[in-house]
Amino acid sequence: MRTRGQCPECPEHNDSSSNKQHRIALGTDLENQNRHTEASSTMSPASSAYLERCMGLEHVQDSFSNASSTRDLLKPTLNDRQMRSQELILRLVKAAVAFGVPSHRLKAITHSISHSMQCTANLYFLDNHAYLEFPAKTAGVPPALFPFSERPSMDFTKLSLLMGLLKKILRHPAQGSVDALLADLAQIEATPSAFSSMSIGISYVFSATTGAIMFFHGTWKDAAMSGVLAIIPATLMLLANEFNQLWWIYECISCFLVSLAAMALSKYFCYSTLILSAPITLLPGYTVSLSVIEIMTKNILAGSIRLCYSIVHLACMTLGLTLAPMLLNASWDGSGDGFQRKPVGGHTCAAEKTIAVNHFWLFLCVPLYIGAYNVYLKAPLRQWPLMTMVGCLGYSAGYASKHVWHAPPEVNAFAASFTIGLSANLYTLATDRFSFNSIVAGIFIQVPGSWGLRGLLAMSYAV
C-alpha cells in the first residue's frame, strides 16, 4: 500500500530507512506547504514533479492559498476564455436569484446559457444556498465547484434588464465578447431600483387597506384601521433592513404587536379582519405556490425546503397573533383561568363569508392592491399597465366563477389561474417581451396566503 512520502517509481524508497532519510533530506514538513512551494520554485520542472510525487501532493489543492482570484486556481486546466465564461455564468445565476427568477427556472436557464457558451455547468439549488459545478473536460481532474449564498428578493427593475441580456446570449451567442457581456451585467447590477425601501413600506398601508375589503370581509372602517396597523410591519421591515439580526424574526414580532393593537380595538373593529389584513404582505402565499411548482417540476430539494420554511413561517405568525390575547386575557391570581386566544366580547364582524361593501368598489380596490404590490416588487412604471391588466383579468375570472357561476373554490382558483397564465403568455407570443412580472402580480392577488394562517389559527382556537 502506498503511503504519503513514498514513491513507487523510486527504487531507493524500497526500505523504510532510506525513505526516512530521503524525507529528512528533502525537508518535507506536511504542516507547512509554503516550504514545498519555495523549494519547487528553485527546482527544474522535472525535479518539482518528482518532489510532488514523493510527497503525495499531486492532487492536493490548498483552499487557503494566496491565489488572488479564481483564475489563479484554474490556470493549470482552463484557458482564459473558459474562465471568463465560468465567471459570467456564475454572476448571471447569482443575479437571477437576487432579482426574483423562480428557482424551478434557474436550472433550465443555467443549462441553456452554458450550452450557448459551450461551457458545461450544473446548478444545485437549495433556496438561498446554491452550488454551481463546472465539470472538468480532462479525465482525472476534479470539477470546479462554486458554492454561493444569495438572499432571494424581488427587483423587477433589474430583472427585466437581466432577461434582455439572457435573451441576447441565447439568441446571438456569437455577438459580443465575454468581457462585453460582463460589462453589461455590471451595468445592470448598478442600475438603481424603481422604488426605495421607504416606498415599499408605504405600499404596506395600501395593500392592507384594499386587502381587508377584497379578502377579509372588512368594512370601510375596518379597512382604514388595517392600513393604520400596517405601519407596524412596515416599520419593522425598515428596521430589519438596517439590522440583519431582526430579518428572521421581525414577522413574528409584527404579528404580536398587530394582535396587541387589534385586541385593544376589538370593541370597535372586526378583530379577525385586522389581524389578517394588517400583516398581509408577510403572508407566504407566493412562497407556498412556488414550492408546489418546484416539487411538481422535480426540484424536490428546493421545493421541500421552501415548503417547510413556509409552514414554520406560518406557525411563527400564528404564535405572534395568539400570544397577545392569551397574555391580556390571563388572570394573574394564579388560578390559570382566562388564557383565551381570542378577545372576549369583541365587536361583531359585519360579514363573515362575503364582501361587506358594495361590489362595485372592487373596480377601485383591485387596481390599488395590484399597484401596491407593484411597488413591493420594485416594478418600474412602464410595467404597471400590463401587470394591472393581467391581475384584473385573473381576479375578474375568479369573481365571475364564484358569484355568477356559483362554482366551488377549486374551480374559481382554476379559472383565475388559467386566465392569468393564458393572457400573459399570449402577450409574450405577440410582442416577444417580458411577461413574468404580470404572472407574479396575478399570483399575489389570487393567493394572499391567508388559507394556511386561517387553518393554523382555527387549530389554535380549538385547543
Side-chain angles (χ1 to χ4, degrees):
M1 179 182 297
R2 179 182 176 185
T3 59
R4 178 166 299 195
Q6 293 180 336
C7 178
E9 301 175 7
C10 307
E12 64 270 30
H13 291 176
N14 292 333
D15 63 284
S16 58
S17 60
S18 60
N19 179 28
K20 182 177 179 181
Q21 293 176 359
H22 182 70
R23 292 184 59 172
I24 296 175
L26 290 175
T28 307
D29 185 4
L30 297 180
E31 296 179 357
N32 188 351
Q33 189 178 348
N34 291 332
R35 183 179 301 179
H36 158 67
T37 305
E38 295 173 358
S40 61
S41 63
T42 60
M43 295 181 181
S44 63
S47 300
S48 297
Y50 165 80
L51 179 58
E52 286 182 324
R53 290 198 307 270
C54 291
M55 295 176 62
L57 298 174
E58 303 99 311
H59 304 294
V60 174
Q61 180 182 12
D62 186 8
S63 59
F64 300 99
S65 62
N66 295 324
S68 60
S69 66
T70 304
R71 180 179 301 183
D72 296 329
L73 295 174
L74 300 177
K75 276 183 178 178
T77 58
L78 299 177
N79 56 42
D80 185 71
R81 176 174 174 76
Q82 288 176 317
M83 288 185 289
R84 299 293 285 172
S85 299
Q86 291 186 2
E87 180 182 357
L88 175 62
I89 295 174
L90 178 62
R91 290 181 58 182
L92 284 172
V93 173
K94 294 181 67 175
V97 175
F99 301 158
V101 173
S103 56
H104 68 279
R105 298 297 302 166
L106 284 173
K107 287 188 177 181
I109 291 175
T110 304
H111 175 76
S112 300
I113 295 174
S114 61
H115 179 74
S116 176
M117 301 185 65
Q118 300 179 353
C119 181
T120 306
N122 300 316
L123 178 67
Y124 306 97
F125 189 79
L126 303 173
D127 197 20
N128 60 332
H129 297 279
Y131 299 87
L132 193 62
E133 178 191 50
F134 296 99
K137 296 182 179 181
T138 306
V141 178
L145 188 64
F146 296 92
F148 65 91
S149 178
E150 193 75 30
R151 179 187 296 175
S153 61
M154 293 288 186
D155 193 337
F156 282 4
T157 303
K158 300 178 181 179
L159 183 59
S160 59
L161 300 176
L162 180 65
M163 287 300 177
L165 180 61
L166 294 177
K167 187 187 300 183
K168 175 182 176 181
I169 295 174
L170 296 177
R171 295 184 178 179
H172 309 286
Q175 296 181 3
S177 62
V178 177
D179 291 333
L181 295 175
L182 284 169
D184 293 341
L185 179 58
Q187 185 176 3
I188 293 174
E189 293 172 341
T191 302
S193 300
F195 297 96
S196 63
S197 298
M198 183 62 68
S199 302
I200 295 174
I202 296 174
S203 72
Y204 280 31
V205 176
F206 291 95
S207 60
T209 302
T210 53
I213 295 174
M214 294 167 56
F215 305 116
F216 306 118
H217 322 303
T219 62
W220 287 112
K221 181 177 68 172
D222 298 330
M225 184 52 62
S226 297
V228 174
L229 294 184
I231 298 176
I232 296 174
T235 303
L236 289 176
M237 181 271 296
L238 295 175
L239 291 175
N241 288 334
E242 297 295 330
F243 305 98
N244 292 331
Q245 295 84 352
L246 292 176
W247 184 257
W248 308 111
I249 59 173
Y250 87 94
E251 296 98 337
C252 185
I253 299 175
S254 300
C255 290
F256 174 79
L257 296 178
V258 165
S259 179
L260 192 65
M263 275 285 297
L265 301 169
S266 60
K267 293 183 179 180
Y268 312 100
F269 301 91
C270 179
Y271 175 76
S272 61
T273 299
L274 295 183
I275 64 171
L276 290 174
S277 58
I280 190 173
T281 51
L282 307 180
L283 298 174
Y286 178 73
T287 306
V288 173
S289 302
L290 196 58
S291 64
V292 174
I293 295 175
E294 289 171 343
I295 293 175
M296 295 190 66
T297 54
K298 309 305 180 184
N299 294 279
I300 306 298
L301 288 177
S304 301
I305 292 173
R306 199 182 299 273
L307 184 60
C308 291
Y309 166 76
S310 301
I311 295 173
V312 174
H313 179 88
L314 287 172
C316 291
M317 292 185 66
T318 303
L319 173 64
L321 292 175
T322 57
L323 186 59
M326 289 177 62
L327 295 178
L328 291 179
N329 291 328
S331 84
W332 300 97
D333 57 1
S335 62
D337 298 328
F339 286 96
Q340 288 86 4
R341 293 176 172 84
K342 291 193 296 185
V344 179
H347 177 72
T348 303
C349 299
E352 291 293 341
K353 296 184 179 180
T354 185
I355 299 174
V357 302
N358 192 308
H359 288 208
F360 286 101
W361 284 108
L362 295 176
F363 288 102
L364 173 64
C365 292
V366 173
L368 281 177
Y369 181 84
I370 297 175
Y373 266 100
N374 291 345
V375 176
Y376 174 78
L377 298 172
K378 301 179 184 178
L381 293 178
R382 65 178 180 274
Q383 298 180 10
W384 282 37
L386 175 64
M387 298 173 70
T388 304
M389 181 186 67
V390 172
C392 289
L393 285 175
Y395 186 85
S396 300
Y399 179 88
S401 177
K402 178 179 180 180
H403 295 279
V404 178
W405 195 13
H406 302 290
E410 306 90 278
V411 178
N412 302 335
F414 170 78
S417 302
F418 180 79
T419 303
I420 291 171
L422 180 63
S423 56
N425 283 279
L426 286 177
Y427 173 82
T428 299
L429 290 175
T431 63
D432 193 30
R433 293 183 179 178
F434 178 67
S435 65
F436 171 71
N437 50 0
S438 61
I439 295 177
V440 174
I443 291 176
F444 272 117
I445 202 171
Q446 291 301 320
V447 192
S450 62
W451 289 355
L453 183 60
R454 281 173 168 172
L456 290 175
L457 283 173
M459 292 174 59
S460 65
Y461 292 157
V463 175

PDB file of all heavy atoms in Angstrom, residues 29-47:
ATOM      1  N   ASP A  29       7.838  18.870   5.334  1.00  0.00           N
ATOM      2  CA  ASP A  29       7.034  19.141   6.502  1.00  0.00           C
ATOM      3  C   ASP A  29       5.596  19.348   6.034  1.00  0.00           C
ATOM      4  O   ASP A  29       5.260  20.375   5.459  1.00  0.00           O
ATOM      5  CB  ASP A  29       7.539  20.399   7.219  1.00  0.00           C
ATOM      6  CG  ASP A  29       6.786  20.650   8.518  1.00  0.00           C
ATOM      7  OD1 ASP A  29       5.943  19.810   8.891  1.00  0.00           O
ATOM      8  OD2 ASP A  29       7.056  21.676   9.153  1.00  0.00           O
ATOM      9  N   LEU A  30       4.757  18.354   6.240  1.00  0.00           N
ATOM     10  CA  LEU A  30       3.395  18.417   5.707  1.00  0.00           C
ATOM     11  C   LEU A  30       2.548  19.457   6.409  1.00  0.00           C
ATOM     12  O   LEU A  30       1.465  19.776   5.948  1.00  0.00           O
ATOM     13  CB  LEU A  30       2.733  17.042   5.822  1.00  0.00           C
ATOM     14  CG  LEU A  30       3.406  15.941   5.011  1.00  0.00           C
ATOM     15  CD1 LEU A  30       2.669  14.629   5.200  1.00  0.00           C
ATOM     16  CD2 LEU A  30       3.462  16.320   3.546  1.00  0.00           C
ATOM     17  N   GLU A  31       2.985  19.988   7.519  1.00  0.00           N
ATOM     18  CA  GLU A  31       2.209  21.013   8.190  1.00  0.00           C
ATOM     19  C   GLU A  31       2.476  22.391   7.625  1.00  0.00           C
ATOM     20  O   GLU A  31       1.839  23.357   8.007  1.00  0.00           O
ATOM     21  CB  GLU A  31       2.521  21.011   9.691  1.00  0.00           C
ATOM     22  CG  GLU A  31       2.124  19.724  10.378  1.00  0.00           C
ATOM     23  CD  GLU A  31       2.478  19.759  11.849  1.00  0.00           C
ATOM     24  OE1 GLU A  31       3.081  20.773  12.269  1.00  0.00           O
ATOM     25  OE2 GLU A  31       2.180  18.803  12.537  1.00  0.00           O
ATOM     26  N   ASN A  32       3.443  22.479   6.718  1.00  0.00           N
ATOM     27  CA  ASN A  32       3.767  23.784   6.145  1.00  0.00           C
ATOM     28  C   ASN A  32       3.960  23.602   4.650  1.00  0.00           C
ATOM     29  O   ASN A  32       5.030  23.206   4.210  1.00  0.00           O
ATOM     30  CB  ASN A  32       5.029  24.335   6.810  1.00  0.00           C
ATOM     31  CG  ASN A  32       5.303  25.787   6.391  1.00  0.00           C
ATOM     32  OD1 ASN A  32       4.656  26.314   5.503  1.00  0.00           O
ATOM     33  ND2 ASN A  32       6.269  26.399   7.049  1.00  0.00           N
ATOM     34  N   GLN A  33       2.950  23.857   3.853  1.00  0.00           N
ATOM     35  CA  GLN A  33       3.054  23.665   2.417  1.00  0.00           C
ATOM     36  C   GLN A  33       3.833  24.792   1.743  1.00  0.00           C
ATOM     37  O   GLN A  33       4.318  24.636   0.631  1.00  0.00           O
ATOM     38  CB  GLN A  33       1.645  23.601   1.801  1.00  0.00           C
ATOM     39  CG  GLN A  33       1.649  23.193   0.352  1.00  0.00           C
ATOM     40  CD  GLN A  33       0.217  23.089  -0.185  1.00  0.00           C
ATOM     41  OE1 GLN A  33      -0.718  23.105   0.587  1.00  0.00           O
ATOM     42  NE2 GLN A  33       0.093  22.970  -1.477  1.00  0.00           N
ATOM     43  N   ASN A  34       3.977  25.919   2.388  1.00  0.00           N
ATOM     44  CA  ASN A  34       4.731  27.012   1.791  1.00  0.00           C
ATOM     45  C   ASN A  34       6.190  26.625   1.575  1.00  0.00           C
ATOM     46  O   ASN A  34       6.844  27.109   0.640  1.00  0.00           O
ATOM     47  CB  ASN A  34       4.656  28.254   2.675  1.00  0.00           C
ATOM     48  CG  ASN A  34       3.268  28.850   2.675  1.00  0.00           C
ATOM     49  OD1 ASN A  34       2.539  28.689   1.694  1.00  0.00           O
ATOM     50  ND2 ASN A  34       2.900  29.522   3.756  1.00  0.00           N
ATOM     51  N   ARG A  35       6.727  25.764   2.454  1.00  0.00           N
ATOM     52  CA  ARG A  35       8.101  25.318   2.260  1.00  0.00           C
ATOM     53  C   ARG A  35       8.237  24.550   0.963  1.00  0.00           C
ATOM     54  O   ARG A  35       9.206  24.693   0.236  1.00  0.00           O
ATOM     55  CB  ARG A  35       8.521  24.462   3.448  1.00  0.00           C
ATOM     56  CG  ARG A  35       9.980  23.995   3.387  1.00  0.00           C
ATOM     57  CD  ARG A  35      10.357  23.173   4.616  1.00  0.00           C
ATOM     58  NE  ARG A  35      10.163  23.966   5.816  1.00  0.00           N
ATOM     59  CZ  ARG A  35      10.393  23.500   7.022  1.00  0.00           C
ATOM     60  NH1 ARG A  35      10.818  22.273   7.211  1.00  0.00           N
ATOM     61  NH2 ARG A  35      10.178  24.268   8.075  1.00  0.00           N
ATOM     62  N   HIS A  36       7.233  23.731   0.648  1.00  0.00           N
ATOM     63  CA  HIS A  36       7.258  22.992  -0.610  1.00  0.00           C
ATOM     64  C   HIS A  36       7.190  23.952  -1.801  1.00  0.00           C
ATOM     65  O   HIS A  36       7.860  23.768  -2.802  1.00  0.00           O
ATOM     66  CB  HIS A  36       6.081  22.023  -0.652  1.00  0.00           C
ATOM     67  CG  HIS A  36       5.688  21.609  -2.037  1.00  0.00           C
ATOM     68  ND1 HIS A  36       6.494  20.851  -2.836  1.00  0.00           N
ATOM     69  CD2 HIS A  36       4.560  21.882  -2.742  1.00  0.00           C
ATOM     70  CE1 HIS A  36       5.887  20.649  -3.983  1.00  0.00           C
ATOM     71  NE2 HIS A  36       4.714  21.286  -3.951  1.00  0.00           N
ATOM     72  N   THR A  37       6.378  25.017  -1.666  1.00  0.00           N
ATOM     73  CA  THR A  37       6.247  25.970  -2.753  1.00  0.00           C
ATOM     74  C   THR A  37       7.562  26.690  -3.017  1.00  0.00           C
ATOM     75  O   THR A  37       7.986  26.880  -4.152  1.00  0.00           O
ATOM     76  CB  THR A  37       5.151  26.985  -2.416  1.00  0.00           C
ATOM     77  OG1 THR A  37       3.943  26.273  -2.117  1.00  0.00           O
ATOM     78  CG2 THR A  37       4.900  27.946  -3.562  1.00  0.00           C
ATOM     79  N   GLU A  38       8.250  27.094  -1.930  1.00  0.00           N
ATOM     80  CA  GLU A  38       9.508  27.795  -2.097  1.00  0.00           C
ATOM     81  C   GLU A  38      10.570  26.876  -2.700  1.00  0.00           C
ATOM     82  O   GLU A  38      11.363  27.272  -3.559  1.00  0.00           O
ATOM     83  CB  GLU A  38       9.979  28.324  -0.742  1.00  0.00           C
ATOM     84  CG  GLU A  38       9.035  29.382  -0.153  1.00  0.00           C
ATOM     85  CD  GLU A  38       9.432  29.758   1.246  1.00  0.00           C
ATOM     86  OE1 GLU A  38      10.425  29.153   1.744  1.00  0.00           O
ATOM     87  OE2 GLU A  38       8.773  30.628   1.839  1.00  0.00           O
ATOM     88  N   ALA A  39      10.573  25.599  -2.268  1.00  0.00           N
ATOM     89  CA  ALA A  39      11.566  24.678  -2.796  1.00  0.00           C
ATOM     90  C   ALA A  39      11.330  24.394  -4.269  1.00  0.00           C
ATOM     91  O   ALA A  39      12.259  24.344  -5.062  1.00  0.00           O
ATOM     92  CB  ALA A  39      11.544  23.367  -2.000  1.00  0.00           C
ATOM     93  N   SER A  40      10.060  24.205  -4.641  1.00  0.00           N
ATOM     94  CA  SER A  40       9.763  23.871  -6.020  1.00  0.00           C
ATOM     95  C   SER A  40      10.034  25.031  -6.956  1.00  0.00           C
ATOM     96  O   SER A  40      10.280  24.846  -8.142  1.00  0.00           O
ATOM     97  CB  SER A  40       8.310  23.426  -6.149  1.00  0.00           C
ATOM     98  OG  SER A  40       7.453  24.475  -5.746  1.00  0.00           O
ATOM     99  N   SER A  41       9.981  26.264  -6.450  1.00  0.00           N
ATOM    100  CA  SER A  41      10.210  27.414  -7.321  1.00  0.00           C
ATOM    101  C   SER A  41      11.660  27.520  -7.755  1.00  0.00           C
ATOM    102  O   SER A  41      11.978  28.153  -8.753  1.00  0.00           O
ATOM    103  CB  SER A  41       9.789  28.697  -6.602  1.00  0.00           C
ATOM    104  OG  SER A  41      10.587  28.885  -5.447  1.00  0.00           O
ATOM    105  N   THR A  42      12.612  26.892  -7.017  1.00  0.00           N
ATOM    106  CA  THR A  42      14.028  26.951  -7.374  1.00  0.00           C
ATOM    107  C   THR A  42      14.482  25.709  -8.118  1.00  0.00           C
ATOM    108  O   THR A  42      15.641  25.607  -8.496  1.00  0.00           O
ATOM    109  CB  THR A  42      14.872  27.119  -6.102  1.00  0.00           C
ATOM    110  OG1 THR A  42      14.624  26.000  -5.236  1.00  0.00           O
ATOM    111  CG2 THR A  42      14.485  28.414  -5.374  1.00  0.00           C
ATOM    112  N   MET A  43      13.589  24.725  -8.293  1.00  0.00           N
ATOM    113  CA  MET A  43      13.953  23.488  -8.970  1.00  0.00           C
ATOM    114  C   MET A  43      13.541  23.531 -10.427  1.00  0.00           C
ATOM    115  O   MET A  43      12.728  24.349 -10.847  1.00  0.00           O
ATOM    116  CB  MET A  43      13.275  22.298  -8.276  1.00  0.00           C
ATOM    117  CG  MET A  43      13.733  22.059  -6.848  1.00  0.00           C
ATOM    118  SD  MET A  43      12.904  20.620  -6.153  1.00  0.00           S
ATOM    119  CE  MET A  43      13.610  20.611  -4.525  1.00  0.00           C
ATOM    120  N   SER A  44      14.072  22.597 -11.178  1.00  0.00           N
ATOM    121  CA  SER A  44      13.651  22.424 -12.557  1.00  0.00           C
ATOM    122  C   SER A  44      12.262  21.819 -12.569  1.00  0.00           C
ATOM    123  O   SER A  44      11.811  21.257 -11.576  1.00  0.00           O
ATOM    124  CB  SER A  44      14.624  21.506 -13.293  1.00  0.00           C
ATOM    125  OG  SER A  44      14.607  20.214 -12.708  1.00  0.00           O
ATOM    126  N   PRO A  45      11.532  21.897 -13.707  1.00  0.00           N
ATOM    127  CA  PRO A  45      10.199  21.297 -13.766  1.00  0.00           C
ATOM    128  C   PRO A  45      10.211  19.811 -13.459  1.00  0.00           C
ATOM    129  O   PRO A  45       9.315  19.306 -12.791  1.00  0.00           O
ATOM    130  CB  PRO A  45       9.764  21.584 -15.202  1.00  0.00           C
ATOM    131  CG  PRO A  45      10.525  22.810 -15.599  1.00  0.00           C
ATOM    132  CD  PRO A  45      11.849  22.679 -14.916  1.00  0.00           C
ATOM    133  N   ALA A  46      11.231  19.069 -13.927  1.00  0.00           N
ATOM    134  CA  ALA A  46      11.286  17.632 -13.653  1.00  0.00           C
ATOM    135  C   ALA A  46      11.483  17.368 -12.172  1.00  0.00           C
ATOM    136  O   ALA A  46      10.852  16.477 -11.585  1.00  0.00           O
ATOM    137  CB  ALA A  46      12.414  16.991 -14.463  1.00  0.00           C
ATOM    138  N   SER A  47      12.333  18.178 -11.511  1.00  0.00           N
ATOM    139  CA  SER A  47      12.558  17.995 -10.075  1.00  0.00           C
ATOM    140  C   SER A  47      11.314  18.347  -9.275  1.00  0.00           C
ATOM    141  O   SER A  47      10.995  17.695  -8.281  1.00  0.00           O
ATOM    142  CB  SER A  47      13.742  18.873  -9.620  1.00  0.00           C
ATOM    143  OG  SER A  47      14.907  18.503 -10.322  1.00  0.00           O
TER     144      SER A  47
END
